[in-house]
């Protein structure tokens, strides 16, 4: 790539004031697709390496976005890959030069999007770095590899751009929302810029996969917030919470279906929908009766403290690199010990019956005050911890609220918790299994016993006041203006 044009970017960014901090955001949208060739100057081949949830979605979206431009999207797989057939079924073939052996594709591509499992990136990066053409661009959708390089004292390859675009949602949502025209938000990062084009390349990648907006971060910040977030409210915590609340509802005498509606259906249905459309403030307004507000307040106040403690422990594990080591070790054990199923308790049988009966139900399931209180307390404790650790607001809001309600929970609502967790990355699937039970135990052993006490929690007034006046309400309103309304239809 010879042209350098850093002063006149193809995709301009804007500074957004989020709670007094200026953050860099680029607005995307399908109307920008015709500008892609302008930003992808010198890029003839985009190699999408891997065919997991992200590889499949990003390859399909980029191919559709670049149709007619002459820029080729080629999928790279290991020779023995079980994904070869599926890639062909999606129209990527060796005959058309759009499917090939991964190392050959890496050596030929101008832009290499490395979307194999994170642990495989860690294993294979020396060979991958060696094969990159001088002046090429390496794209990552996660900071995992950077975290590993930091841990072992290794460096990124010289003479290439290194960029990140990390969709804030599972691969299935990246494809589905692209087809629906709304798209999934993404973060973007520029780690190495050898010729002044790296930001435009990153934004072209974000626009090409359909992101309605992309916010600037670094891959190190992205690594921490993402690995932390998926173990917490995005996957692990939400699973643990509903398991504990279901058991509690059964202990209180609810029938199986009623217990499921209170613990899970009310969360994945009306609570998630309200959060998506009106933010956390909307949930507070939706609790209209004094009983609902009191029930919510007690659950919220009982949960916030224990959740904050567990979340801090989790963040420390991620920040120290121990969680990444545990992922690599777990991946190494997979051939002998495949991942255990996550949807095994009786509540999910009840859930299947509740879903079948959904259309014939006389009235919609309401928001359950206790479930809302527990769930939002974990969510807000996560937000507060990420703020304290210095993450940008756009990253915090996406990793704690937007990704949960606009990308992930709709899958749990439609087909259960396994459908949500097991459509995510290997790193996320391992982490949700490891940390979900810790959140379940936290709710069962600390929160619910406290709720059975005399009904007052020390400091409850202050915790609730902090929620009502929280800056996240304004942040969510501002970010909502940047994207079209999302109503992800998952059947
Ligand atoms: N999934 C998400 O929701 C999500 C969201 C944002 C970012 N990300 C990031 O996107 C990247 C890809 O994640 P993913 O979820 O799509 O993939 P994944 O499920 O974690 O990994 C699946 C892909 O990795 C390949 N792979 C595994 N071991 C390999 C090896 N030793 N050699 C070559 N290929 C190997 C698999 O190849 P075969 O097909 O041959 O088995 C498959 O194509 C990761 O960095 C992830 O953190 C994921």
């Amino acid at each position: 790539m010879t042209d350098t044009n850093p002063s006149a970017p193809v995709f301009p960014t804007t500074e957004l004031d989020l709670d007094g901090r200026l953050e860099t955001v680029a607005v995307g949208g399908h109307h920008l697709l015709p500008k892609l060739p302008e930003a992808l100057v010198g890029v003839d081949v985009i190699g999408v390496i891997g065919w997991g949830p992200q590889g499949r979605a990003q390859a399909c979206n980029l191919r559709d976005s670049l149709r007619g431009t002459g820029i080729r999207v080629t999928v790279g797989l290991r020779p023995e890959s079980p994904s070869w057939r599926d890639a062909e079924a999606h129209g990527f073939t060796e005959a058309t030069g759009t499917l090939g052996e991964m190392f050959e594709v890496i050596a030929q591509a101008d832009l290499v999007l490395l979307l194999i499992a994170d642990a495989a990136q860690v294993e294979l990066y020396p060979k991958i770095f060696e094969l990159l053409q001088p002046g090429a661009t390496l794209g990552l959708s996660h900071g995992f590899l950077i975290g590993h390089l930091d841990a072992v004292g290794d460096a990124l390859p010289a003479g290439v751009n290194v960029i990140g675009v990390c969709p804030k949602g599972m691969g299935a949502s990246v494809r589905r929302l692209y087809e629906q025209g709304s798209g999934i938000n993404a973060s973007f990062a520029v780690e190495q810029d050898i010729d002044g084009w790296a930001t435009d390349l990153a934004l072209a990648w974000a626009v090409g996969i359909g992101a309605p907006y992309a916010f600037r971060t670094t891959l190190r910040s992205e690594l921490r917030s993402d690995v932390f977030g998926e173990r917490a409210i995005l996957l692990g915590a939400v699973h643990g919470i509903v398991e504990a609340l279901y058991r509690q509802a059964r202990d209180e005498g609810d029938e199986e279906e009623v217990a499921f509606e209170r613990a899970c259906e009310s969360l994945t249905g009306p609570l998630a929908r309200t959060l998506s459309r009106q933010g956390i403030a909307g949930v507070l307004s939706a609790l209209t009766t004094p009983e609902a507000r009191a029930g919510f307040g007690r659950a919220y106040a009982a949960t916030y403290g224990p959740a904050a403690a567990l979340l801090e422990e989790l963040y420390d594990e991620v920040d120290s690199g121990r969680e990444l080591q545990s992922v690599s070790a777990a991946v190494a054990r997979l051939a002998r010990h495949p991942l255990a199923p996550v949807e095994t308790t009786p509540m999910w049988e009840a859930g299947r019956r509740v879903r079948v009966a959904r259309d014939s139900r006389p009235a919609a399931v309401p928001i359950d005050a206790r479930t809302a209180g527990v769930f939002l307390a974990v969510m807000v404790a996560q937000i507060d911890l990420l703020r304290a650790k210095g993450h940008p607001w756009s990253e915090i809001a996406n990793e704690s609220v937007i990704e949960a309600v606009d990308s992930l929970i709709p899958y749990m609502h439609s087909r259960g918790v396994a459908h949500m967790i097991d459509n995510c990355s290997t790193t996320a699937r391992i982490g949700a299994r490891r940390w979900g039970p810790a959140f379940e135990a936290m709710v069962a052993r600390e929160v619910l016993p406290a709720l059975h006490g005399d009904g007052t929690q020390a400091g409850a007034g202050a915790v609730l006041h902090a929620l009502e006046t929280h800056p996240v309400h304004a942040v969510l309103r501002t970010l909502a203006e940047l994207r079209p309304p999302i109503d992800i239809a998952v059947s």
Side-chain angles (χ1 to χ4, degrees):
M1 212 174 294
T2 49
D3 312 47
T4 55
N5 192 15
S7 56
V10 177
F11 297 113
T13 55
T14 52
E15 298 290 301
L16 207 59
D17 183 340
L18 294 173
D19 188 31
R21 286 197 279 198
L22 289 183
E23 297 188 15
T24 304
V25 176
V27 177
H30 284 213
H31 64 288
L32 293 174
L33 296 181
K35 289 173 84 72
L36 287 176
E38 237 181 283
L40 293 169
V41 169
V43 175
D44 296 321
V45 178
I46 300 178
V48 176
I49 313 303
W51 190 257
Q54 286 298 328
R56 184 188 302 110
Q58 294 196 30
C60 291
N61 291 6
L62 284 168
R63 180 185 55 188
D64 291 354
S65 293
L66 292 166
R67 214 178 281 287
T69 63
I71 299 171
R72 193 170 82 226
V73 177
T74 299
V75 171
L77 296 175
R78 50 185 164 181
E80 74 281 15
S81 174
S83 306
W84 209 272
R85 278 235 176 109
D86 193 48
E88 283 174 342
H90 283 77
F92 293 92
T93 63
E94 285 178 273
T96 56
T98 54
L99 180 61
E101 194 280 323
M102 60 181 261
F103 293 118
E104 284 173 19
V105 175
I106 290 168
Q108 287 161 12
D110 307 294
L111 173 56
V112 175
L113 307 184
L114 192 58
L115 301 178
I116 56 174
D118 295 304
Q121 295 179 26
V122 161
E123 187 193 325
L124 300 174
Y125 77 87
K127 179 163 181 187
I128 293 170
F129 286 3
E130 237 179 72
L131 287 171
L132 290 168
Q133 292 181 47
T137 299
L138 173 66
L140 302 168
S141 277
H142 202 284
F144 197 101
L145 181 57
I146 300 264
H148 175 78
L149 295 178
D150 286 347
V152 298
D154 232 340
L156 287 167
V160 300
N161 293 311
V162 180
I163 58 177
V165 168
C166 309
K168 297 293 105 190
M170 55 162 69
S173 302
V174 171
R175 181 61 180 159
R176 184 178 287 270
L177 287 172
Y178 175 90
E179 288 174 318
Q180 288 179 207
S182 48
I184 281 281
N185 309 329
S187 60
F188 76 96
V190 174
E191 298 295 328
Q192 272 184 193
D193 187 353
I194 55 166
D195 53 12
W197 274 99
T199 302
D200 263 327
L201 288 171
L203 293 178
W205 176 11
V207 168
I209 60 170
Y213 70 85
F215 55 90
R216 188 190 278 275
T217 186
T218 64
L219 283 175
R220 286 176 183 83
S221 180
E222 148 68 25
L223 163 70
R224 282 161 180 75
S225 62
D226 187 83
V227 173
F228 167 76
E230 68 201 10
R231 280 146 181 75
I233 203 65
L234 297 182
L235 299 174
V238 68
H239 184 198
I241 288 168
V242 298
E243 293 273 1
L245 292 179
Y246 174 83
R247 250 196 344 270
Q248 178 68 16
R250 291 284 290 141
D251 288 350
E252 289 166 354
D254 284 344
E255 297 290 336
E256 288 180 341
E257 280 84 348
V258 174
F260 186 86
E261 287 180 357
R262 288 186 62 195
C264 189
E265 182 83 353
S266 73
L267 189 161
T268 60
L271 179 57
R273 262 198 313 278
T274 307
L275 279 166
S276 174
R277 293 174 189 166
Q278 296 154 50
I280 295 171
V283 177
L284 301 182
S285 310
L287 299 163
T288 46
T289 65
E291 296 76 30
R293 289 186 80 81
F296 170 86
R298 292 187 65 215
Y300 183 93
T303 308
Y304 185 93
L310 180 55
L311 288 163
E312 198 171 327
E313 178 188 341
L314 166 56
Y315 192 95
D316 286 347
E317 289 299 295
V318 176
D319 193 37
S320 65
R322 288 190 291 270
E323 189 66 22
L324 303 197
Q325 283 170 10
S326 120
V327 170
S328 293
V331 169
R333 289 191 298 268
L334 277 182
R336 278 173 291 120
H337 305 293
L339 291 179
V342 285
E343 201 174 286
T344 51
T345 57
M347 75 173 285
W348 302 106
E349 273 306 319
R352 271 183 269 284
R353 295 194 295 276
V354 167
R355 288 198 293 278
V356 168
R358 219 175 247 163
D359 291 341
S360 52
R361 191 186 287 136
V365 170
I367 291 177
D368 182 88
R370 180 172 67 190
T371 301
V374 173
F375 182 71
L376 282 194
V378 179
M379 182 176 267
V380 176
Q382 170 167 328
I383 290 168
D384 289 341
L385 181 67
L386 288 172
R387 276 174 85 205
K389 299 290 182 185
H391 291 266
W393 260 118
S394 43
E395 185 167 85
I396 296 169
N398 273 281
E399 290 289 356
S400 307
V401 186
I402 299 168
E403 180 169 354
V405 296
D406 286 348
S407 170
L408 294 166
I409 288 177
Y411 286 82
M412 182 167 160
H413 190 62
S414 121
R415 290 213 240 147
V417 73
H419 190 53
M420 175 178 74
I421 291 176
D422 286 336
N423 270 306
C424 290
S425 69
T426 310
T427 306
R429 296 169 69 199
I430 290 169
R433 282 164 170 80
R434 187 168 189 223
W435 286 90
F439 283 93
E440 184 179 343
M442 182 270 290
V443 175
R445 293 179 201 168
E446 296 182 73
V447 175
L448 295 171
L451 287 175
H452 283 145
D454 65 3
T456 54
Q457 278 87 34
V463 169
L464 284 167
H465 178 71
L467 172 64
E468 279 161 5
T469 56
H470 206 289
V472 73
H473 306 310
V475 168
L476 289 174
R477 273 196 301 275
T478 305
L479 291 175
E481 287 167 14
L482 292 180
R483 69 192 165 116
I486 286 180
D487 215 344
I488 184 167
V490 184
S491 54

